[in-house]
Structures are given as structure tokens and as C-alpha cells.
Amino acid sequence: MPGVLEERAAIEREIAGLTICEQLRRVAAEHPDAPAYSDPTEDGWSTLTYGEARRRVLEIAAAYAALGVAPGDAVALMTVNRGEHVLADLGALHAGAVPCSIYSTFAPGQVAFIARDARAVVAVVGAAELARWEPILDGLPLLRKVVVLDGPAPGGDRFLAWEDFLALGAARLAAEPEAVEARWRAVTPGDLATVLYTSGTTGDPKGVPLTHANVAYEVAATDRMTGLPTMGTQISYLTYAHIAERVLSLYLPLFKVSHTHFCTDLANLAGTLARVRPVMFFGVPRVWEKMAARLQALLATQPEERREQVAAAMAAGLAYVEAGQYGSAVTPEIQAAYDRADAALLAPIRSLIGLDRAAWLATAAAPMPAEVQRFFAGLGMKVLDVYGMTETTGAFTANSPAAYKLGTVGRAEPGVEVRLAADGEILTRSPLNTGGYLNRADEALFDGDGWLRTGDVGSVDEDGFVRIVDRKKELIITAGGENISPANIENALKEHPLIGQALAYGDRRPYPVALLTLDAEVAPGWARARGIEFTGLADLAEHPDVLKAVEAAVDAANAGLARVQQVKRWRLLPVEWTPETEELTPSLKLKRRVVHARYADLIDAMYEE
């Protein structure tokens, strides 16, 4: 087995001199007619081939240049996942500029902070997102032009419609093709491919600059871990402001000649999956939780005999996936039972949800509830945890279909060093690491030996598989001095499908308490099936039958927790937590400080009872 440094050297030789611009040139030259990007239409898809896409990218690069964008300038992007987002991003790179996608859920003040911090000179914005920009434009003197997708732009010199932008670029490219060629050829692996802003669980977002070399290394490492086929189909639906989606559906397709289909609205995800049947699928835990809840609700409507057949088949599926873990073996008996179950029921169910062709299924960004992972394992699906940060260009540890352990985030990717600090903090060192935060030279991201501090506490087993305990700053230390992971408590609580979100609290307190919300998709169906009348979540949160079910869920969670971790008191809130209501980040992580502050009186009251 090659050592870490040998693996690193091999990848660095493979990507030497490579930029995203050069990779697009290669794929467009070798596969000009291969489908690249498909946007949904009323009656199907609108598709660009790789040859057509590259021509459009060069026109967009020329348009940026015509607007005065210089090499090194920043271009802000805020729109849903769609072909124009990718083309505008790649066009900025070909102009020598730095694209910066911004979460569309950010408030105008946060958008203004990022535009100023990145020093954006042009913004490409969807019509739906324009309202977040218009109130802040007077405070952004560097921002010369706002390019508006979808229809005519507002009046004034600062706005330009997308079609006019494209026409400007086509004319400039026709007049000065050598200038555009010179722009992208001047881009080097050490130049920035993007600046992404952390979604900000605390304080202002921090800009993370990532280079072409960072990106190319992550793609090469990901390819080794996943073994995905070339020219496969995939879906893009999570925001490009998130590093995982950016790697998996913006950069990786350029290396795998993949056909990316855009899902512009999360509400259409199930339908898009069924239409596309992708070869891979990545979802943050909340996406998998919702998918599991919908499937469980559907299965619950089946006749008892059918439910029993599905349960038996899923037991065989779970046994198969568990036996396939690293260090274990699938016996002939387990294989035979799985093959029978798969042919009879499991494969049709996977086909029903559009994941029958998916060779790689993954999750990250927050802890995956064990019961959700076990549910999909029952369907014969290995939903594998990976682990990383924006600061590490995405995943730096990963489970792979060939080597995985459920409950872990996998092993270090090829050429990546991982170790634990004395206090259990996970440290990493590799070519994936950013050079530091934008405009924050004093931010202590690295130790003296170049190890990046993740802020997460974990463990590493004898086979190199990493487990995450919790965020270092989020560990609860009770009044009795016990160190407790709130995420473990929260995941146990969320195993009941009625509970959508949970926050455990107990720092410097005698015991943990919890704030709970109902799952806005599951709870109404659960109530209707029991003949409960209601007008909304607030109604349900007060209903005696709901409270009784939630109490049983808390008791079940406590039964699996150590005594010091058990929730002594809880409250079911009459609201849903979302990024828009600010209790969650755009990547659906809890903003603990926001929840603590918003519900401080309620938390105090639980301790005063």
C-alpha cells in the first residue's frame, strides 16, 4: 500500500498545470456533442452540449471583460441552480475573475457584507433574488453592474438583462477572440477558482479562497473514492454556495463528462430524481430524513401483508449492508437472502424513488441520524458519510462503497493527513486546505506545523475510520462536569418521524433539556391518519395526542442514552425552524446561539419547574 505522501505525489503529478479552464477545453474538444447541462422546461429539458457550453462560456468571459472586469476581480452570483449559474461561474474564471456564489437565503445585510468583503465588481442575480440586492446597492460603490436573469432588468445604468449581457459578449468575442483566449490561458493552478462564504453559525460569514489546484485535487481524490462512471447522469439541486454541491455538480462533471440536470426548486426533487435516475446522489441529512419520512408514510398505507413482506425484505437489506462493512464479510446466506429480497421488492422501491442506478450515495454537513441510515440500508442503499469543510475544499475523509463503516465519516482521502490534537480536535494537512480566510490574516485556522484546526472533536479507530463526537465549541459541560454531545441527544430525538428539529441544552446546568419542533411534512399526514383536526403546526403542537406521541419519542430516545445525557424536560414549539426563520443555516445546521437567545426564557423556565 502506498503511503500518504506517495498518494499525494501521484495525484499532484496527475493534475500538474491543470486549471478548470483547461479542463473545460479538453472535454469540449474530446466530447463536443456530449450533453452537459439540462434545465427543466414545461415539456422536458433544454440541453447544452459541452461544445455549446464552452462557446457560451467564452462569450460570457468576453462580456465580463467588456464590462471592465479585470483578472483577479470578484463576480458575485446569486440564483437557483440552473445552467446560467454554472455558465456565469465558468465565464468568470475564463475572464481571470473569481466567482463567488452567495446563499440566496442571506438577508440583504449579509449580502452587502459579502459583496464588500469580496470586492465584487459585477453581480449576476436571478429576478427572484433581486429584492435582496436593490436596497444595498447604494452602499456598494465597487459594484458596477448587476446582470439580471429572467426578463427585462430594472431601469438605470447599473442593471443589464442577461440576454443583453450575452449579446455584448458574443460581439466582443467575435471582435477580439485572441483577447479572450489570452485571458483564460493566463489562469494558473494557483489562482483562485472561487471564494465561498461560510454560512455563519456564529458572527459574520468568512470568505474561504480556493484555488484551481485545490479543486483539481479534491476532484481527483473524490473520483478515487467513488469510482463513478464517465458520462453518467446527475442532479444539481443544493446551492452552489455550498462546497459539496460545487465540487460534485460543477467541477466533477467536467472531469467525468457527466450530464448535469438542474432541479431549480427543492419541492421538485422527488420528480427530478425519478426522471433523471442519477448515477450518484448527495444530500445533507435533512434531505435524507425527509425522503425517508415520505417513504415510510407511503409504506404505512400498504396492506398489513405487504408491510410484513417489505419489513422482511428490508431486514435482509440491512443485514447485507451491515455485513459489507470494512472488516466484515457477506456470507453466502446473507447474499442469497439479499438477492431474493432485492429482486422481489427492494430494487422496485429504489426504482420508485429514482435511485436504482445510483452507484454512490452520500451525506455530510451535519450528523446523519443512525435510524435514517439504517432505513436506507434496509433498501440495499449505502448512504455513506463523508466529512469536510469549505476550508478543506469539501471532503477530506470519506467512506467508499468498497470500504465503509456505518456511524463513521470514513478514512482520510488519498494523500490527506489526519490526526487528533491532545484535546481530541481533528486536524488535517493536505493540498486541499485553503491558504487562510479572505481579509482575515489574524484568524487562527492553522497550528504552527500547518495543520488545519477543524473545530470538531473526534476519534480514529485502528482501521483509520474517523468518528465525529461534536463541534468543539458546542460540547455541553454540565454542572456536574460531564462532557456531553448535544448532537447525539438531538439525533436520538429526531429518530421519531414526528420530530423535525431538536436542540439539546444543558451547559453548566444540572441536566439536559430539549426544544423540539414538528416535522412540517410528516406531522399533518400523521394527524390526518388519526382523525385529528387542525389548522396548522401550532394547533398540532398543542394537541394531546401529538404531545403524548412526542413524550413517547423522548422516552425512547432517553432509553438509548446514558443517564447524564437523558433529557429531563422538553417543550414542543408551535413553529418550524428554517433558514428563513434564522434558526438554521442555509446548509440546515442549527444556529445554536440564535436558538439559545430566542428561547432563553423558555429554557430557563424548564429549569425552574
Side-chain angles (χ1 to χ4, degrees):
M1 290 289 291
V4 173
L5 297 184
E6 288 81 2
E7 290 176 328
R8 183 182 301 173
I11 291 179
E12 289 183 322
R13 285 193 297 272
E14 178 183 317
I15 64 173
L18 191 60
T19 66
I20 300 304
C21 305
E22 170 59 19
Q23 183 59 29
L24 178 58
R25 185 202 65 77
R26 290 180 186 179
V27 71
E30 295 169 9
H31 306 281
D33 299 323
Y37 307 114
S38 286
D39 286 286
T41 64
E42 289 186 3
D43 55 358
W45 300 97
S46 173
T47 300
L48 285 178
T49 66
Y50 274 101
E52 292 167 338
R54 184 168 188 268
R55 177 70 184 183
R56 184 65 54 82
V57 165
L58 293 176
E59 291 173 350
I60 291 170
Y64 284 129
L67 293 179
V69 175
D73 282 347
V75 172
L77 306 169
M78 183 189 277
T79 183
V80 297
N81 293 34
R82 54 192 291 179
E84 292 89 345
H85 196 142
V86 172
L87 298 171
D89 191 291
L90 295 175
L93 289 182
H94 282 67
V98 182
C100 170
S101 292
I102 302 175
Y103 286 104
S104 59
T105 55
F106 275 176
Q110 293 173 300
V111 175
F113 171 83
I114 291 171
R116 284 193 295 267
D117 194 59
R119 301 179 66 81
V121 298
V122 169
V124 179
V125 178
E129 289 76 30
L130 188 58
R132 297 178 186 269
W133 286 82
E134 288 179 305
I136 62 175
L137 291 179
D138 288 345
L140 300 175
L142 294 179
L143 190 70
R144 295 195 292 270
K145 196 71 71 175
V146 178
V147 180
V148 183
L149 300 168
D150 305 313
D157 292 341
R158 291 189 84 174
F159 297 98
L160 183 66
W162 176 252
E163 293 304 322
D164 295 333
F165 179 67
L166 293 182
L168 175 66
R172 174 62 71 93
L173 181 62
E176 302 177 19
E178 299 85 359
V180 177
E181 178 89 1
R183 281 274 190 123
W184 76 258
R185 287 195 177 278
V187 175
T188 71
D191 288 337
L192 295 185
T194 188
V195 174
L196 295 183
Y197 280 77
T198 61
S199 55
T201 55
T202 60
D204 287 325
K206 289 179 281 195
V208 181
L210 300 171
T211 67
H212 290 257
N214 289 143
V215 168
Y217 194 101
E218 174 68 5
V219 168
T222 300
D223 191 30
R224 283 161 167 74
M225 298 296 286
T226 59
L228 290 169
T230 56
M231 294 190 175
T233 56
Q234 64 180 85
I235 288 172
S236 171
Y237 73 103
L238 294 171
T239 173
Y240 280 122
H242 194 287
I243 184 59
E245 190 70 24
R246 183 165 274 271
V247 167
L248 295 174
S249 75
L250 199 161
Y251 302 131
L252 182 62
L254 299 178
F255 291 76
K256 303 300 292 185
V257 202
S258 303
H259 181 187
T260 301
H261 297 71
F262 297 100
C263 177
T264 57
D265 185 342
L266 195 56
N268 299 329
L269 179 59
T272 305
L273 279 169
R275 292 170 68 191
V276 176
R277 298 171 61 216
V279 298
M280 57 165 281
F281 184 72
F282 172 89
V284 296
R286 191 64 184 139
V287 169
W288 289 109
E289 290 170 31
K290 286 179 175 289
M291 193 182 299
R294 285 193 294 269
L295 269 174
Q296 288 166 335
L298 177 62
L299 294 173
T301 66
Q302 302 301 303
E304 183 178 356
E305 182 180 356
R306 191 63 165 174
R307 293 201 305 271
E308 291 174 353
Q309 292 171 346
V310 172
M314 291 183 68
L318 177 60
Y320 172 74
V321 172
E322 289 185 331
Q325 295 178 94
Y326 188 87
S328 301
V330 177
T331 66
E333 294 79 11
I334 290 174
Q335 183 71 58
Y338 173 72
D339 289 342
R340 289 192 298 271
D342 193 52
L345 285 170
L346 302 184
I349 293 174
R350 293 198 302 272
S351 180
L352 180 69
I353 59 176
L355 292 175
D356 52 312
R357 298 195 303 196
W360 184 73
L361 304 166
T363 187
M368 177 75 150
E371 282 307 303
V372 175
Q373 196 169 46
R374 286 169 59 85
F375 173 81
F376 285 107
L379 298 177
M381 296 165 59
K382 303 170 185 175
V383 181
L384 303 175
D385 282 277
V386 303
Y387 168 59
M389 310 162 62
T390 309
E391 293 87 339
T392 59
T393 323
F396 66 88
T397 76
N399 286 288
S400 72
Y404 65 92
K405 286 187 182 182
L406 302 180
T408 78
V409 293
R411 299 191 289 186
E413 290 194 343
V416 174
E417 297 172 85
V418 175
R419 70 177 180 87
L420 301 180
D423 61 359
E425 183 178 6
I426 299 168
L427 309 177
T428 182
R429 187 168 61 184
S430 80
L432 297 174
N433 290 355
T434 181
Y437 293 116
L438 186 70
N439 303 326
R440 296 191 183 211
D442 58 342
E443 190 87 24
L445 183 58
F446 301 93
D447 71 8
D449 296 319
W451 291 87
L452 184 145
R453 299 185 176 99
T454 64
D456 290 312
V457 175
S459 64
V460 183
D461 70 14
E462 66 278 5
D463 298 316
F465 286 83
V466 178
R467 291 180 187 271
I468 307 298
V469 174
D470 213 330
R471 291 292 297 169
K472 186 175 177 180
K473 294 179 180 178
E474 292 175 358
L475 287 174
I476 292 171
I477 303 177
T478 67
E482 299 282 356
N483 280 25
I484 297 173
S485 164
N488 286 346
I489 300 172
E490 291 152 4
N491 280 340
L493 292 165
K494 290 194 295 179
E495 285 181 6
H496 194 289
L498 265 184
I499 298 177
Q501 293 290 344
L503 178 132
Y505 186 87
D507 204 39
R508 297 184 298 278
R509 302 282 193 156
Y511 48 77
V513 298
L515 297 173
L516 309 173
T517 70
L518 292 172
D519 188 297
E521 291 188 11
V522 174
W526 183 93
R528 281 190 288 269
R530 288 157 179 79
I532 298 173
E533 296 183 3
F534 63 95
T535 58
L537 282 185
D539 258 4
L540 288 177
E542 296 178 350
H543 196 281
D545 290 354
V546 174
L547 292 170
K548 185 176 180 180
V550 171
E551 182 177 21
V554 174
D555 290 343
N558 280 339
L561 296 169
R563 182 176 295 276
V564 296
Q565 297 173 308
Q566 291 175 357
V567 172
K568 299 299 188 291
R569 294 189 174 92
W570 54 273
R571 289 289 184 275
L572 183 62
L573 304 177
V575 296
E576 183 183 10
W577 291 345
T578 69
E580 287 72 24
T581 59
E582 298 185 355
E583 292 93 353
L584 303 181
T585 71
S587 55
L588 305 182
K589 299 174 188 174
L590 275 173
K591 289 186 176 180
R592 296 185 185 277
R593 290 189 183 181
V594 170
V595 178
H596 293 166
R598 189 164 290 176
Y599 297 98
D601 291 345
L602 189 54
I603 291 170
D604 288 341
M606 283 190 277
Y607 286 106
E608 292 167 0
E609 292 177 353

